[in-house]
Amino acid sequence: MTDFFLFVRDHADKLLEQTLTHIGLTFLSLLVALLIGVPLGILIARRQRLAGGVLGVAGVLQTVPSVALLGFLIPVLGIGVGPALVALFLYALLPIIRNTYVGITEVSPSVKEAARGLGMTPNQVLTRVEFPLALPVIFAGIRTATVINVGVATLAAYVAAGGLGEFIFSGIALSNVSMMLAGAIPAALLAVGFDFGLARLQQLSGRKLRVGALTFVVMVPFISAFYLLPGRQDKLIAGFAHEFYGRADGYPGLQKTYGLQLQPRLIDQNLMYEAIHREQVDIISGYSTDGRIKAFDLLVLDDNRHAFPPYAAAPVIRKVTLNRYPDLELTLNKLAGKLTDSVMTALNYRVDYQKESPEKVAREFLNQAGLHKQGVHSTGLKPGAGKSSERTETVVVGTKVFTEQYILAEVYRQLIEGQTDLRVVTKTGLGGTQICFDALRTGTIDFYPEYTGTGLLVILQPPAKTLQKLPMQTDSVYQFVQQQFRARYQMDWLKPLGFNNSYCLMMRREQAQQLGIRSIEDLVRYLGIN
Amino acid sequence: MIEITDLTKQFAGHTAVDGVSLHVGQGETLVLLGTSGCGKTTTLKMINRLIEPTSGSIRVDGIDVRQQFGPEFRRRIGYVIQDGGLFPHYTVAEAIATVPKLLGWEADAILERTRELMAKLQLPETILSRYPGELSGGQRQRIGLARALAAKPPVVLMDEPFGALDPFTRRHVRRELFGLNELRETTVVLVTHDVNEALELADRIALMDKGRIIQIGPPDDLLNQPATDFVREFLDDKPHRLHD
C-alpha cells in the first residue's frame, strides 16, 4: 500500500494530466453523442417507422465489444483521438437515442393532444411539453452514457489517445500493481462520482431539474476542453508500447544512456507498426527481428552505446541431453552465426506477411545454408534411412508462442532429423519465458531457443550491483548467462544463432534517410537542434 | 357560429363520421351524444382541426377552418378534455397563462385575467403555484376549464370534460361551471355519452350512431318525439332490473 502512495506522489502531475484527459475524452464524446443522439431520438419519436431501424443499429453497435470496435476503427481512422472518440461516441449513442425516444413517446397522449388543442405548433409541443416531460428519462440516458464512457475511455490508451488507461495497461505490461491501481482507482472513482452526481441531479423535480440539466449541458463543452489543452509536441512523434515505456531496459535506459527526451504516446504494441506506417508517429519501439520491419520498410536505429541489453538467440539445452546424445551439440552448432538479423527478419516476414508455413520457410533456409540432410550420407547410412519408424531416440524442442520461435523449432527439427537418427518432437505452445524454462528444468523438453537478455533479466535476475558491472555487450552477456546456467541449472547455452532480437527504435526508412538519421545518437542530435 | 356541412371522415377504409351536417348558434350549447365509437369525438376534433376531414366543410364565424393556420386558429377556440389534460410540469398559474402567452399577452394582463378566473371558479389563489399532481380531481377540472377560457375564446369545445370525476363531484362541478356567466355567453360544443349530462346542459342535443346524426333538437323534442326506437331507448336512461 505504501508503494501505491509513493507511486501516486511521484506521478501526481502525470496522474492529474491523465485524469483530466480521461474526463475530457469522456465528455467530448458525450457532447457529440448528445448533439447527434437527442435530435435523432426526437426524429424517430416523430417518425415511428424509422425507430426500429435506428434503435436496432445503435443497439448492435452497443453490443460490439470495445476492443473489437477499436479493431474496426483503426484501419479507417488510424490511431490516436479519432478511433477513441468515435468508439466512445458510438457507445454513448444508444442510451441517449433510446431514452430520448422513450421519454418523448411515453408522454401521455392526452397531454400531447391538449397541447395541440390549445394551439401549440408542433415545435412548441416539442419544446414546451414533450421535451421537458421527457427530460428525466433523457437524463437517465445521459447518466448511463457517461458511466459507460468513463469505463470504455480506459481503452483509449490502446490507441495512443491517453487517459487513465495508460497507467492500467502499463501496469499490466510491467506487472506493476501500484501503477495499475493508480489508473484503476481514479477511473473507478470517476465512474462512481459521475453516477452519483448525475443521479442526484436526476432526482430533482420540475424546474430544478430543467435548470440543473441545462447547467450540465452547458458545462459539457467546457469539460470537454480538458482534452483539447495543447501539449508540447516533439519534432518527431514517438509511439511506444506500454511495456517499453516502463521497463528499466526500455525507454528509461535510453534516457539514461543517450539523454533522449521525448513525449511519447503510448500504444498497444501490435498497433505501433500500423501507426508508423500511416505516419501518425515517426519513431516506434519494437524488436529488431520483427517481420514488420521488412513489411513496412522501417529502419532500425543503431544502438552503439548499448542502451538496450543484447538479446542474442541461442539454444539452451539440458546437460543430461548433451551427455546422452553427444552429436547433438555439433549438429546444433552448425547453425551458429547463420541466422543474422536480416535473415531472421526475412524469415519472420515470410511467415507473418506472406503466410508461408514455418515448415517450408525452415526447409528453404536450410537448403540455402547447405545444411539439409548432409549428415545422412556422412554417417554412411543407406538412402531411405532416417525414416521416423527407424528412429528410436527422441529429443523434445520447446518454443514460446510467437512466429520467430515457431520457425526456429522447424529449423531445429529438420536439421536434427536430417543430420542424425534422432526423432524430434516439437512443443510449440509454451506460453512465455517462465513456462519454457520450467519445462526445460523438469525435463519436459530437452532444449529451446532463448535470448541472452531474457536469460539475464527474467531468469537469473542478478542483483543491481552485478548488473552495473556487467558490460551490456553481446559477448559479455552471453558468457555471463552461459556460466551461470551451467553452474546453477546444469544447462548449457550453445553457440548463438547470430541474430539479436533486442529492443530497438525504428523509423520509416525514407524519413530517416531524409533527416540523415541512422543511429540513436543521430536522433538525439536531430531532436536537440531547434 | 359553427356551420358544418356534409362532414365525412374515413380512417383506413372505416367511416367514422358519415355526412354530418349541423349548425351551432352564437352562445348556444350543443351536446354531441352517443355511444363510444359513434363518431362524436371525431366530429368535435374536426371542428378545431386536430383531425382533418376527408370531405365536407366547417365554418366558424363564417370562415372555412381549412383556410386558417391550425395552431393559430386553435388558440381562438377553447379546448377542454377529460381530467383537464393539464401538463404535469406546469403550475396552475402557468397552465392558465398558456394560451394568453401563445397569443403574446402582456404579463400584467395575464395576471389580471388569472385572478379573475380564479375568483369566478372559486379557487384559492394559494394553489397558483401548485402542480396538477397536487390538486384534487375537481380542482384539475376547474383549472382545465380556466385554461380553456383564459383567452376569452368565442367557442369552447369539450370532450367528455367530466368523465374522470365520480358521479357526485361531476354533478356538482358541472352545475357550478355551467352557472358561470362567462360560459353562458360562449358557444359550446360538448361531447358526452352521459344522457343526464346532455339533458341538463344542452340547448340542443345531436344524438349520433355509427357516424351519423340520428336526431338533433332540444332535449324535450328528443324525449317527447323520438325519431326512432334507438333514440327512445338511448334516452330511456332509467335503471332496469334484468328479467323483470
Side-chain angles (χ1 to χ4, degrees):
Chain A
M1 215 53 207
T2 22
D3 284 355
F4 172 69
F5 288 115
L6 279 177
F7 182 89
V8 169
R9 203 189 58 195
D10 291 348
H11 297 79
D13 282 358
K14 184 85 177 158
L15 193 59
L16 182 69
E17 185 193 320
Q18 298 295 32
T19 308
L20 291 182
T21 304
H22 202 93
I23 297 173
L25 205 54
T26 305
F27 279 78
L28 195 56
S29 52
L30 186 68
L31 179 68
V32 183
L34 279 176
L35 290 178
I36 291 173
V38 172
L40 208 53
I42 291 170
L43 178 76
I44 60 173
R46 285 268 174 284
R47 295 181 210 282
Q48 300 268 349
R49 273 179 304 137
L50 301 176
V54 172
L55 290 174
V57 170
V60 167
L61 289 173
Q62 185 82 24
T63 53
V64 175
S66 36
V67 177
L69 189 59
L70 285 177
F72 287 124
L73 292 173
I74 288 161
V76 187
L77 298 169
I79 60 147
V81 193
L85 268 187
V86 172
L88 288 173
F89 155 74
L90 291 176
Y91 281 115
L93 211 47
L94 177 68
I96 291 175
I97 298 178
R98 189 182 47 204
N99 283 39
T100 306
Y101 169 75
V102 169
I104 286 179
T105 47
E106 281 189 350
V107 171
S108 130
S110 73
V111 166
K112 288 185 205 182
E113 191 188 286
R116 286 211 313 134
L118 291 175
M120 290 189 180
T121 62
N123 277 341
Q124 286 168 333
V125 175
L126 176 68
T127 55
R128 301 190 186 187
V129 179
E130 289 175 312
F131 198 75
L133 288 175
L135 202 56
V137 183
I138 296 175
F139 215 73
I142 295 177
R143 180 180 151 205
T144 310
T146 310
V147 173
I148 291 176
N149 274 10
V150 169
V152 179
T154 50
L155 290 177
Y158 260 130
V159 291
L164 290 165
E166 277 198 4
F167 281 109
I168 300 176
F169 290 118
S170 301
I172 292 171
L174 299 169
S175 302
N176 182 336
V177 176
S178 298
M179 190 184 278
M180 241 184 287
L181 291 179
I185 292 175
L189 288 180
L190 278 185
V192 173
F194 281 129
D195 190 45
F196 180 74
L198 293 176
R200 291 289 296 270
L201 205 54
Q202 194 186 333
Q203 280 158 11
L204 295 176
S205 59
R207 189 174 306 276
K208 281 186 199 155
L209 172 64
R210 270 170 276 155
V211 174
L214 192 69
T215 317
F216 176 77
V217 169
V218 169
M219 273 166 56
V220 168
F222 287 101
I223 303 175
S224 310
F226 282 143
Y227 194 70
L228 304 173
L229 291 177
R232 196 170 72 78
Q233 192 89 320
D234 294 313
K235 272 200 278 187
L236 293 174
I237 299 165
F240 292 160
H242 298 96
E243 188 183 357
F244 177 82
Y245 182 67
R247 261 175 74 151
D249 57 337
Y251 180 61
L254 277 182
Q255 288 178 301
K256 224 188 299 171
T257 314
Y258 290 96
L260 182 64
Q261 289 301 332
L262 288 166
Q263 301 273 309
R265 299 188 187 174
L266 302 192
I267 331 178
D268 184 70
Q269 55 181 352
N270 293 310
L271 298 176
M272 287 185 311
Y273 293 91
E274 187 68 23
I276 194 168
H277 181 58
R278 288 166 165 269
E279 309 193 2
Q280 288 172 319
V281 296
D282 305 307
I283 310 163
I284 60 170
S285 61
Y287 296 98
S288 50
T289 54
D290 197 304
R292 288 173 285 201
I293 294 172
K294 191 171 158 72
F296 293 128
D297 196 21
L298 303 175
L299 177 76
V300 174
L301 301 185
D302 281 343
D303 171 26
N304 28 24
R305 291 195 206 162
H306 304 291
F308 299 125
Y311 281 73
V316 182
I317 190 161
R318 289 161 59 84
K319 270 274 162 56
V320 184
T321 310
L322 278 183
N323 293 340
R324 191 181 305 155
Y325 314 115
D327 284 357
L328 199 55
E329 178 167 0
L330 271 172
T331 310
L332 289 176
N333 279 344
K334 284 184 179 169
L335 280 175
K338 290 281 194 317
L339 280 153
T340 59
D341 278 8
S342 56
V343 170
M344 194 65 234
T345 307
L347 297 184
N348 282 332
Y349 171 73
R350 285 173 61 184
V351 174
D352 270 340
Y353 285 85
Q354 299 186 323
K355 304 297 168 203
E356 296 180 42
S357 70
E359 188 272 331
K360 175 174 173 241
V361 170
R363 177 157 32 86
E364 288 178 12
F365 161 73
L366 286 173
N367 276 334
Q368 263 178 4
L371 292 170
H372 210 59
K373 294 203 172 178
Q374 250 180 6
V376 175
H377 301 291
S378 67
T379 51
L381 287 171
K382 280 173 281 177
K387 268 189 265 169
S388 56
S389 56
E390 293 168 22
R391 301 170 188 266
T392 47
E393 303 285 341
T394 300
V395 289
V396 183
V397 53
T399 75
K400 303 178 193 179
V401 278
F402 54 89
T403 308
E404 181 166 290
Q405 296 251 326
Y406 297 153
I407 298 171
L408 291 178
E410 268 306 313
V411 169
Y412 287 135
R413 189 183 65 78
Q414 293 179 24
L415 178 77
I416 296 169
E417 292 195 342
Q419 310 242 342
T420 71
D421 293 338
L422 293 168
R423 191 160 70 98
V424 177
V425 172
T426 54
K427 278 198 187 302
T428 51
L430 300 173
T433 303
Q434 204 59 50
I435 300 173
C436 260
F437 181 70
D438 286 343
L440 187 62
R441 201 162 44 177
T442 54
T444 311
I445 59 175
D446 291 299
F447 74 99
Y448 78 96
E450 185 53 283
Y451 307 91
T452 51
T454 312
L456 178 72
L457 297 171
V458 179
I459 299 172
L460 294 173
Q461 298 190 6
K465 267 187 192 167
T466 320
L467 268 184
Q468 267 171 12
K469 271 186 275 172
L470 184 69
M472 283 296 149
Q473 310 251 341
T474 310
D475 291 348
S476 49
V477 173
Y478 177 76
Q479 276 153 21
F480 182 81
V481 294
Q482 187 179 46
Q483 175 218 333
Q484 292 282 320
F485 269 61
R486 278 178 183 162
R488 280 206 229 172
Y489 307 118
Q490 287 75 54
M491 296 175 189
D492 203 0
W493 285 69
L494 300 183
K495 288 192 182 160
L497 297 169
F499 70 91
N500 188 2
N501 187 2
S502 69
Y503 269 143
C504 65
L505 287 189
M506 37 194 144
M507 296 178 64
R508 286 183 301 280
R509 185 180 297 280
E510 200 187 333
Q511 189 186 32
Q513 278 168 354
Q514 257 172 27
L515 301 176
I517 297 174
R518 303 182 59 164
S519 65
I520 300 176
E521 279 177 339
D522 293 344
L523 175 67
V524 174
R525 205 174 305 130
Y526 174 77
L527 291 172
I529 303 166
N530 286 313
Chain B
M1 195 65 193
I2 302 173
E3 195 69 49
I4 296 176
T5 317
D6 208 14
L7 190 66
T8 298
K9 178 66 189 179
Q10 289 171 328
F11 293 108
H14 147 79
T15 305
V17 175
D18 188 5
V20 166
S21 297
L22 56 82
H23 87 273
V24 190
Q26 174 95 44
E28 188 185 16
T29 297
L30 177 85
V31 173
L32 294 173
L33 179 66
T35 50
S36 313
C38 72
K40 57 192 192 302
T41 297
T42 308
T43 305
L44 185 83
K45 288 183 181 171
M46 282 192 283
I47 297 177
N48 69 355
R49 289 187 59 199
L50 283 176
I51 295 177
E52 296 291 344
T54 309
S55 66
S57 80
I58 301 170
R59 287 168 173 275
V60 174
D61 228 356
I63 303 164
D64 192 327
V65 296
R66 293 209 212 191
Q67 287 169 3
Q68 314 197 32
F69 176 56
E72 250 167 49
F73 167 65
R74 283 193 281 271
R75 285 169 204 170
R76 287 184 279 113
I77 299 203
Y79 187 55
V80 186
I81 62 175
Q82 189 168 321
D83 206 23
L86 298 177
F87 308 147
H89 63 305
Y90 271 29
T91 61
V92 169
E94 288 169 327
I96 297 174
T98 312
V99 182
K101 263 191 183 160
L102 289 173
L103 291 170
W105 286 22
E106 299 283 334
D108 290 350
I110 295 176
L111 191 64
E112 194 183 322
R113 177 66 176 150
T114 305
R115 291 220 167 107
E116 187 187 345
L117 281 167
M118 294 297 280
K120 279 186 182 169
L121 294 166
Q122 295 173 350
L123 289 164
E125 288 197 11
T126 48
I127 65 165
L128 278 176
S129 58
R130 297 226 189 125
Y131 288 94
E134 303 163 320
L135 302 175
S136 71
Q139 282 175 325
R140 276 203 290 277
Q141 204 53 64
R142 288 186 181 91
I143 304 298
L145 185 70
R147 183 177 67 175
L149 293 176
K152 302 182 183 167
V155 176
V156 174
L157 307 178
M158 302 187 181
D159 187 4
E160 305 265 5
F162 310 112
L165 304 177
D166 64 85
F168 177 78
T169 316
R170 182 190 299 193
R171 248 190 328 269
H172 185 74
V173 173
R174 177 161 92 197
R175 273 178 200 152
E176 190 185 294
L177 294 186
F178 276 77
L180 291 175
N181 279 330
E182 183 128 9
L183 207 53
R184 264 188 235 140
E185 294 157 8
T186 312
T187 307
V188 175
V189 179
L190 184 143
V191 162
T192 186
H193 58 258
D194 181 331
V195 175
N196 287 326
E197 194 164 291
L199 293 174
E200 189 180 319
L201 300 178
D203 292 324
R204 283 190 303 148
I205 296 174
L207 180 65
M208 291 183 69
D209 187 39
K210 293 172 187 145
R212 293 165 186 273
I213 294 178
I214 307 298
Q215 188 173 7
I216 181 165
D220 285 349
D221 282 12
L222 272 77
L223 282 172
N224 301 330
Q225 296 150 29
T228 64
D229 287 347
F230 174 80
V231 179
R232 187 181 15 255
E233 277 170 33
F234 199 94
L235 294 189
D236 182 14
D237 196 31
K238 285 190 289 286
H240 293 273
R241 286 166 181 276
L242 279 173
H243 316 297
D244 70 354

